[in-house]
């Protein structure tokens, strides 16, 4: 099948002049600039000030991106909920997201905002590739239709996710690119095979829930290509040329696949226990309590809805919002089923390939979700939204092609309708983007107060450690608020300001091994402490200097905190959970996510965390504390 065989563009303009690559590029860039560029530019303008300080995963991401091109370039992905049999923390499979962010990060100035701009740039690039593939398959009208669907999808994801370089968010649009590229390969457009390899590798390396999906879809595609190669091997006729074409694209794509996956393989073979081994141990442990097929099917059905695409995300902790049978999902399945039947009756082989690919992705998704254990967070199934968007695109494409009215009339009114929808969606997306907020704005604001003051104190030379020439060990284990999320941002900013800082071995996976430092190799420790109980303990440590103290709450907020904390403690005591009540001052987050904590009390604990706790930084000799 040729690139445009059987599609709308071919029906519209048989014998018409094929658009030049320059005109195609201009159309694609224009559509992406309007539908994605304007809203994300608005979001980046809003996020530029006040200055944002990344926390936890985002701080770890920026640390890794800053390592790209150095002697410590990343070989694996971000640290995740992955543990070996002995509890050793592992990471997501590969570093491709860090390497992909690095050029844009450098272009925009290597700041925290530059990381947000780099994430937005990668998403715009993914959108551009997806629209280009649609144009390749169906011409300008298909490109316009795909742009509308992608604009709706991006507005559903919202600007905060699309400007956030968090590993669950970065593959969202690249998953759509992967499926579209694989579809093109199934339509004998083998030039898209390298695109499929890159997009699939990006998704699978960046966030492990995509890995099984990519391997499943990629494996089936590879099997089909192998069958085609074998079936044409002994044919001296016209298929000989197509066999040579197949080899011409398959071999370089295999080479690209090897190059992209070489870093995690190098890390595996050069380590006593490599990250791939930790991943294998994590997912084959017999004690894992998996979600199971039934609940996985519920997750798919509850997300198989146009509703997710018509509303901006809610950021729910739970991936399940409905049952196995629900009206929105059944309605979508009915429309999709009608489109599949119509494509089969009309012999639209290329669109049948797309419908089948979406179905395979959903089936593989059920299998993948069924293997999830522990909490089923919403971000583990974000690929579902992109898959639903492609189901809608495939259905609309099928109905349009089968339209019985004169094609000129369809083209005129259809184009006008798509343009109106695109303008409306883009306008709403841009408006929403004007109110975007950075991740964890409250905790970032704490770092904005604490870190500059500490930097000034360190440069003054009045603290232990030797000022700007010191070698510091940064510690943040005593955090009564969360799980040390501010600590990684604190480390990142000290490193950005030029200080020689390292971490304890416990943070090796998140901060990377080359930043690990022992007490013997430190001239002083810098201790980031959150919570009055922990602060009072450090105030009693001989030799420790309280360099910074910051209280984020005003008097009214402190009174509100005390009252709410007492209410939470009483609620836990009344339910026979006194041990959790006793741990409130040690760590609010861990009490809040404890499976025994009732949902209504978890909500109150979230309110306590939003109010915040006092923060202090103590600089001390290595042997103090």
């Amino acid at each position: 099948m040729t690139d445009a065989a059987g599609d709308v563009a071919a029906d519209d303009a048989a014998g018409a002049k094929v658009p030049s690559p320059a005109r195609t590029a201009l159309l694609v860039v224009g559509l992406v600039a309007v539908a994605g560029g304007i809203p994300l530019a608005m979001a980046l303008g809003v996020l530029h000030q006040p200055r944002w300080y990344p926390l936890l995963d985002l701080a770890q991401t920026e640390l890794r991106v800053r390592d790209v091109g150095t002697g410590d370039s990343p070989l694996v992905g971000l640290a995740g909920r992955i543990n070996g049999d002995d509890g050793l923390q592992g990471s997501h499979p590969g570093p491709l997201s860090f390497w992909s962010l690095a050029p844009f990060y450098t272009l925009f100035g290597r700041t925290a905002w530059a990381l947000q701009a780099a994430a937005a740039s990668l998403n715009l690039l993914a959108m551009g590739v997806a629209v280009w593939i649609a144009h390749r398959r169906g011409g300008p009208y298909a490109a316009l239709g795909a742009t509308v669907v992608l604009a709706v999808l991006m507005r559903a994801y919202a600007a905060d996710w699309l400007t956030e370089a968090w590993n669950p968010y970065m593959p969202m649009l690249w998953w759509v690119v992967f499926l579209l590229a694989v579809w093109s390969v199934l339509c004998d457009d083998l030039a898209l095979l390298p695109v499929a390899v890159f997009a699939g590798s990006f998704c699978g390396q960046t966030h492990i829930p995509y890995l099984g999906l990519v391997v499943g879809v990629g494996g089936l595609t590879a099997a089909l290509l192998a069958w085609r190669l074998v079936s044409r091997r002994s044919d001296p006729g016209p298929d000989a040329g197509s066999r040579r074409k197949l080899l011409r694209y398959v071999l370089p794509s295999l080479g690209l696949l090897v190059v992209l996956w070489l870093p995690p393989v190098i890390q595996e073979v050069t380590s006593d226990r490599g990250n791939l081994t930790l991943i294998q141990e994590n997912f084959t442990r017999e004690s894992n309590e998996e979600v199971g097929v039934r609940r996985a099917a519920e997750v798919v059905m509850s997300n198989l809805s146009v509703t997710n695409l018509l509303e901006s995300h809610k950021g729910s902790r739970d991936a399940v919002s409905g049952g196995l049978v629900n009206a929105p999902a059944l309605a979508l399945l009915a429309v999709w089923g009608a489109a599949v039947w119509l494509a089969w009756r009309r012999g639209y082989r290329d669109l049948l390939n797309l419908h089948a690919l979406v179905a395979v992705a959903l089936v593989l998704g059920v299998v993948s979700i069924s293997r999830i254990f522990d909490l089923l967070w919403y971000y583990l199934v974000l690929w579902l939204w992109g898959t639903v968007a492609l189901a809608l695109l495939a259905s609309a494409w099928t109905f349009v092609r089968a339209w019985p009215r004169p094609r000129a009339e369809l083209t005129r009114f259809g184009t006008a309708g798509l343009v109106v929808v695109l303008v409306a969606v883009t306008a709403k997306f841009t408006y929403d983007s004007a109110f975007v907020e950075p991740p964890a704005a409250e905790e970032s604001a704490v770092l904005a107060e604490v870190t500059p003051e500490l930097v000034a104190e360190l440069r003054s030379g009045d603290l232990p450690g030797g000022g700007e020439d010191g070698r510091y060990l940064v510690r943040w284990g005593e955090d009564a608020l969360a799980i040390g999320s501010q600590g990684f941002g604190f480390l990142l900013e000290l490193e950005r300001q030029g200080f020689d800082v390292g971490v304890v071995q416990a943070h090796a996976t998140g901060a990377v091994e080359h930043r690990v430092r022992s007490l013997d190799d430190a001239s002083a420790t810098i201790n980031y402490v959150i919570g009055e109980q922990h602060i009072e303990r450090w105030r009693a440590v001989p030799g420790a200097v309280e360099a910074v103290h910051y209280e984020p709450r005003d008097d009214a907020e402190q009174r509100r905190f005390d009252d709410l904390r007492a209410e939470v403690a009483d609620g836990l005591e009344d339910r026979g959970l006194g041990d959790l009540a006793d741990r409130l001052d040690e760590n609010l987050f861990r009490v809040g996510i404890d499976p025994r904590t009732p949902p209504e009390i978890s909500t109150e604990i979230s309110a306590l965390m939003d109010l915040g706790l006092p923060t202090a930084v103590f600089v001390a000799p290595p042997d103090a504390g």
Side-chain angles (χ1 to χ4, degrees), residues 545-565:
V545 178
E546 186 173 357
V548 180
H549 183 274
Y550 175 66
E551 172 58 78
R553 306 164 298 179
D554 59 26
D555 292 343
E557 289 171 332
Q558 291 184 52
R559 289 193 297 271
R560 169 61 180 156
F561 184 97
D562 292 340
D563 292 342
L564 187 56
R565 186 208 171 282

Side-chain angles (χ1 to χ4, degrees), residues 16-255:
K17 184 178 179 181
V18 177
S20 67
R23 291 184 61 185
T24 298
L26 185 62
L27 174 65
V28 171
V29 170
L31 290 172
V32 173
V34 171
I38 293 175
L40 292 186
M42 171 66 77
L44 290 174
V46 173
L47 292 171
H48 193 263
Q49 291 294 337
R51 183 184 168 188
W52 169 65
Y53 288 75
L55 304 169
L56 197 59
D57 289 1
L58 294 174
Q60 293 177 23
T61 296
E62 188 173 354
L63 287 169
R64 304 290 186 91
V65 174
R66 293 174 68 86
D67 285 341
V68 170
T70 71
D72 298 300
S73 292
L75 298 177
V76 297
L78 194 69
R81 290 193 298 154
I82 299 165
N83 295 286
D85 291 337
D86 58 355
L88 181 64
Q89 187 181 20
S91 301
H92 292 270
L96 189 53
S97 62
F98 305 139
W99 288 84
S100 300
L101 286 166
F104 297 105
Y105 176 73
T106 301
L107 176 66
F108 287 107
R110 295 176 66 82
T111 63
W113 179 84
L115 189 69
Q116 296 173 310
S121 299
L122 277 182
N123 281 312
L124 287 176
L125 179 60
M127 183 184 186
V129 175
V131 173
W132 170 70
I133 294 174
H135 186 283
R136 193 176 178 91
R137 299 263 55 79
Y141 302 115
L144 178 58
T147 302
V148 171
V149 171
L150 287 168
V152 171
L153 177 63
M154 291 174 70
R155 181 189 166 265
Y157 285 143
D160 52 350
W161 286 4
L162 295 171
T163 56
E164 190 171 335
W166 192 33
N167 62 318
Y169 297 160
M170 282 191 287
M172 295 185 303
L173 294 182
W174 286 102
W175 169 247
V176 176
V177 173
F178 172 68
L179 291 181
L180 287 175
V182 169
W183 173 46
S184 290
V185 172
L186 295 176
C187 294
D188 281 339
D189 189 1
L190 299 177
L192 271 294
L193 189 55
V195 176
V197 168
F198 176 85
S201 297
F202 184 92
C203 294
Q205 288 192 20
T206 303
H207 198 217
I208 205 164
Y210 289 89
L211 185 60
L213 300 172
V214 170
V215 170
V217 172
L220 291 173
T221 305
L224 177 59
L225 292 178
W227 176 80
R228 289 180 181 178
L229 185 63
V230 172
S231 65
R232 297 169 182 175
R233 184 174 182 180
S234 58
D235 191 344
D239 278 348
S242 60
R243 185 173 68 253
R244 287 192 294 270
K245 178 183 177 182
L246 185 60
L247 287 172
R248 187 166 69 248
Y249 287 107
V250 167
L251 295 180
S253 298
L254 286 175

Side-chain angles (χ1 to χ4, degrees), residues 493-531:
E493 186 57 26
L494 291 178
E495 184 176 289
R496 194 197 310 278
Q497 295 297 328
F499 290 96
D500 187 349
V501 290
V503 299
V504 297
Q505 184 64 44
H507 297 311
T509 304
V512 191
E513 190 69 36
H514 73 86
R515 290 188 175 88
V516 172
R517 174 166 295 163
S518 66
L519 277 172
D520 294 338
D521 192 31
S523 59
T525 62
I526 299 177
N527 304 275
Y528 194 90
V529 183
I530 301 176

Side-chain angles (χ1 to χ4, degrees), residues 269-289:
V269 299
T270 57
S271 305
D272 293 335
R273 286 176 66 213
N275 188 60
L276 297 179
T277 297
L278 296 178
I279 292 174
Q280 181 268 328
E281 293 175 358
N282 183 78
F283 287 101
T284 58
R285 194 176 300 115
E286 293 184 0
S287 60
N288 293 340
E289 295 185 9

Side-chain angles (χ1 to χ4, degrees), residues 17 31 43 45 72 127 146 151 162 186 215 366 395 405 419 426 449 463 484 498 500 570-571 582 604 612:
K17 184 178 179 181
L31 290 172
D72 298 300
M127 183 184 186
L162 295 171
L186 295 176
V215 170
V366 172
S395 300
R405 302 288 292 276
V419 169
T426 301
E449 294 289 338
L463 298 175
D500 187 349
D570 290 343
D582 293 340
E604 293 179 326

Side-chain angles (χ1 to χ4, degrees), residues 141 144 400 407-421:
Y141 302 115
L144 178 58
V400 168
R407 188 55 52 82
E409 179 181 328
L410 173 63
T411 300
R412 185 170 60 256
F413 289 105
T415 301
L418 287 175
V419 169
V420 169
V421 173

